[in-house]
């Protein structure tokens, strides 16, 4: 239950903002817009796979708690969740979604989100 709450708080509620590198985040948002938000759960699974060694290390550490897990979920992903890795990991789930909704071609749209520079 605590792990579900942390995943929801850190990744899902915030749309992975602050957890993924910018290029990976923008690509993920494009995929959510094209294929639906149900893909976010699949992305969370992929993110856990990327940080699995750190999660296992924390599991063995008796003094580690939720705070350490939250840090690992953001810091580790910023380093390890590169766009190419996420695309490869999410490809099977993405293909299933496209098949389910009748999309047979690969999505080719990339939404540009203007960023204010202050």
């Amino acid at each position: 239950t605590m792990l579900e709450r942390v995943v929801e708080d850190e990744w899902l509620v915030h749309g992975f903002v602050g957890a993924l590198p910018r290029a990976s985040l923008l690509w993920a948002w494009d995929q959510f817009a094209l294929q639906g938000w149900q893909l976010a759960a699949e992305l969370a699974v992929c993110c856990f796979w990327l940080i699995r060694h750190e999660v296992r290390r924390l599991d063995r550490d008796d003094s580690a708690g939720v705070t350490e897990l939250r840090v690992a979920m953001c810091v580790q992903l910023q380093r390890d969740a590169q766009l190419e890795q996420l695309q490869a990991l999410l490809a099977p789930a993405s293909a299933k979604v496209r098949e389910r909704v009748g999309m047979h071609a690969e999505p080719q749209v990339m939404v540009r989100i203007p960023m204010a520079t202050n």
Side-chain angles (χ1 to χ4, degrees):
T1 304
M2 182 58 70
L3 183 58
E4 288 177 35
R5 202 171 306 143
V6 172
V7 168
E8 185 175 341
D9 289 347
E10 291 298 321
W11 290 343
L12 301 177
V13 169
H14 300 287
F16 293 90
V17 173
L20 295 176
R22 188 172 191 267
S24 298
L25 177 65
L26 293 177
W27 174 81
W29 285 354
D30 287 346
Q31 298 311 303
F32 300 154
L34 291 168
Q35 300 182 51
W37 280 97
Q38 67 274 15
L39 201 60
E42 297 292 339
L43 179 59
V45 171
C46 294
C47 290
F48 260 116
W49 189 85
L50 288 172
I51 65 169
R52 69 194 180 282
H53 298 296
E54 183 65 11
V55 171
R56 286 182 188 144
R57 185 190 68 74
L58 290 173
D59 190 41
R60 289 188 303 269
D61 185 353
D62 292 335
S63 65
V66 173
T67 302
E68 289 80 11
L69 179 60
R70 286 180 188 269
V71 169
M73 290 170 69
C74 291
V75 173
Q76 194 85 16
L77 279 180
Q78 282 290 331
R79 189 187 75 215
D80 295 342
Q82 299 307 310
L83 181 57
E84 297 80 16
Q85 288 177 305
L86 285 179
Q87 287 173 330
L89 289 170
L90 204 55
S94 184
K96 287 179 187 174
V97 169
R98 285 193 309 275
E99 183 179 302
R100 191 171 53 240
V101 297
M103 290 174 57
H104 300 292
E106 291 286 324
Q108 298 296 318
V109 178
M110 176 125 188
V111 178
R112 292 277 179 203
I113 301 173
M115 305 297 275
T117 55
N118 292 339

